[in-house]
Amino acid sequence: MSGLPADTRCIAHAVRSHRAIRNSMHCVLDVAFSEDRVNNAAQNFAILRRMTMNLLRQDRKAKVGLKIRRLKACMNDRYFAQLLGWQDP
């Protein structure tokens, strides 16, 4: 599971450090964005999925379905930037 030596203190320190970073990030999200990780997570992801679908639907040149456009956006930075309006088509 890890390349760390079998030293309990070393492993415990690594785990605590990771948790501290993770918890501080979530704290910022909770405070700055009023994001409740548990109660609003499904709704937040639903909103992101709808935004993504709308961006993909705006591409009138692609003669493929939304699933292929989504995969293309994941694999092609230029296409992704075009969808977000960061560069001209």
Side-chain angles (χ1 to χ4, degrees):
M1 300 259 303
S2 172
L4 293 174
D7 178 15
T8 308
R9 284 189 205 140
C10 182
I11 293 172
H13 175 70
V15 170
R16 284 190 201 103
S17 296
H18 174 74
R19 294 292 299 174
I21 292 168
R22 192 166 182 262
N23 288 340
S24 69
M25 179 186 72
H26 288 299
C27 181
V28 170
L29 290 172
D30 291 344
V31 172
F33 295 102
S34 299
E35 181 180 281
D36 183 354
R37 292 184 304 241
V38 177
N39 296 332
N40 295 334
Q43 185 178 10
N44 291 343
F45 279 111
I47 291 168
L48 290 173
R49 283 191 297 271
R50 286 186 191 99
M51 289 171 59
T52 302
M53 183 177 61
N54 290 332
L55 286 171
L56 292 170
R57 283 185 173 166
Q58 288 179 0
D59 181 14
R60 301 285 185 209
K61 293 180 183 179
K63 302 298 181 195
V64 294
L66 292 177
K67 186 173 183 178
I68 300 298
R69 292 179 202 184
R70 185 173 59 115
L71 292 172
K72 182 179 176 183
C74 289
M75 293 186 283
N76 185 329
D77 290 338
R78 183 172 287 161
Y79 181 67
F80 180 68
Q82 177 188 332
L83 288 174
L84 294 175
W86 293 348
Q87 71 181 31
D88 295 328

